[in-house]
Amino acid sequence: MIGISINWVFEPSIVIGLALWTITYTLAVNPVRRQLHWGEPIPLARQMAFHLGTFSAVVALLSPLDTLSDVYLFSAHMTQHMLLMFVAAPLWLIGTSGWMIQCLVPTHKAHKVLAWLTQPVIAFLTFNGVMWLWHIPFIYDAALQHEPLHIIEHLLFIGTALIGWWPILGPAIDHELTTSPLMKLGYLVASMIACSALGVLITLSQHQLFTYYGNASLSLGLKPLDDQQIGGAIMWVVGDMIYVSLIGLVFYRWLENSPSTLHLENHKSIGVS
């Protein structure tokens, strides 16, 4: 491990971008909302979820994880991508309310485009298609070799993750296209399969798929193939854990709000056994 930098990095574009992201959100949900009567207050827990999402992006892009990702370990790079796509993006959506979209994206045409992009089929193909595309070995290696392409990769991961998680966690844009609980369950199962399949392919491969790293992982005590398998397992296991948790939550809320459940609760409330 001699010569390996473990310092936090200061990348002005990322620091300024995330700072403006945080300031805009904080102003919108508090003083601006009150002054312009934009909508109902967003609960503190949801606001904290948004800021936790931003912190996750900070860890992914500015902590020593970034250096490990760019130079030494495929598994660190996979952790970075999972933080951006499976932690930061969904937490940002949890902290977002419908009135924010109405006020901050004011044009009708933009609403129509966003409503179309966040339909389940389009969102699924966009999110999972981009994730699979960037893990094609020669494209993956090219992104690490060319910093502008690497930046585009990260921006696409974040943008398509917001689209991909929107049918489950995002506010309704077009109430005529609201996703039903059954559709949400199907969407989550299909997305879990798509993510797991990619993770399994990487984990079970007996060849080094991503040659950019070479033998760099040896300096950290890991064989290159072991590093690759750990990275694949991170996508596979962590992704499945997140999807299974959301499947359970959606199913629970569906049962809780189903007519049969409400009917049973009404009978109990009047003493009918």
Side-chain angles (χ1 to χ4, degrees):
M1 297 180 62
I2 296 175
I4 295 178
S5 172
I6 57 171
N7 297 322
W8 286 66
V9 297
F10 179 80
E11 178 57 47
S13 61
I14 297 174
V15 173
I16 294 171
L18 290 176
L20 289 175
W21 183 249
T22 301
I23 291 169
T24 300
Y25 177 83
T26 303
L27 291 176
V29 300
N30 291 302
V32 176
R33 179 194 61 79
R34 290 194 297 268
Q35 185 174 359
L36 299 180
H37 308 288
W38 273 356
E40 293 297 319
I42 296 178
L44 181 59
R46 289 177 58 191
Q47 293 184 45
M48 294 304 297
F50 184 95
H51 294 306
L52 184 58
T54 304
F55 178 74
S56 301
V58 168
V59 172
L61 300 172
L62 298 174
S63 77
L65 179 64
D66 186 65
T67 300
L68 291 173
S69 301
D70 288 353
V71 181
Y72 298 102
L73 295 175
F74 171 78
S75 55
H77 206 189
M78 185 64 75
T79 301
Q80 183 184 56
H81 290 172
M82 294 298 287
L83 281 172
L84 294 174
M85 294 187 293
F86 284 76
V87 180
L91 286 173
W92 282 334
L93 287 176
I94 290 172
T96 303
S97 185
W99 61 258
M100 294 183 69
I101 306 302
Q102 296 292 329
C103 297
L104 298 178
V105 187
T107 66
H108 179 72
K109 189 172 183 179
H111 276 232
K112 286 294 184 182
V113 171
L114 189 56
W116 180 79
L117 283 173
T118 55
Q119 293 180 68
V121 173
I122 302 299
F124 172 85
L125 293 174
T126 301
F127 181 33
N128 292 287
V130 166
M131 182 167 59
W132 273 78
L133 175 68
W134 283 100
H135 285 89
I136 295 173
F138 78 90
I139 298 178
Y140 190 98
D141 288 340
L144 287 165
Q145 292 164 357
H146 304 284
E147 187 58 23
L149 190 59
H150 199 189
I151 292 170
I152 292 172
E153 177 194 43
H154 282 173
L155 290 175
L156 282 173
F157 276 157
I158 293 169
T160 58
L162 289 170
I163 291 171
W165 289 109
W166 203 294
I168 307 302
L169 300 171
I173 302 169
D174 186 340
H175 290 284
E176 294 180 1
L177 300 174
T178 301
T179 309
S180 68
L182 184 59
M183 188 176 291
K184 286 183 178 182
L185 289 173
Y187 182 91
L188 286 169
V189 170
S191 296
M192 182 173 68
I193 292 172
C195 179
S196 296
L198 180 56
V200 168
L201 285 175
I202 295 171
T203 303
L204 300 184
S205 175
Q206 297 303 308
H207 305 283
Q208 190 174 0
L209 300 173
F210 310 102
T211 57
Y212 168 83
Y213 293 103
N215 294 319
S217 60
L218 291 174
S219 61
L220 292 168
L222 276 177
K223 295 179 181 178
L225 190 57
D226 291 340
D227 173 42
Q228 179 176 286
Q229 291 171 341
I230 291 170
I234 289 171
M235 171 178 277
W236 182 6
V237 176
V238 175
D240 277 6
M241 289 173 63
I242 292 172
Y243 279 121
V244 168
S245 298
L246 285 172
I247 288 169
L249 180 61
V250 170
F251 188 69
Y252 172 77
R253 288 185 174 177
W254 186 23
L255 288 180
E256 190 177 41
N257 297 323
S258 67
S260 59
T261 303
L262 294 174
H263 180 72
L264 180 60
E265 288 179 352
N266 288 336
H267 273 272
K268 289 182 178 180
S269 66
I270 59 176
V272 178
S273 58

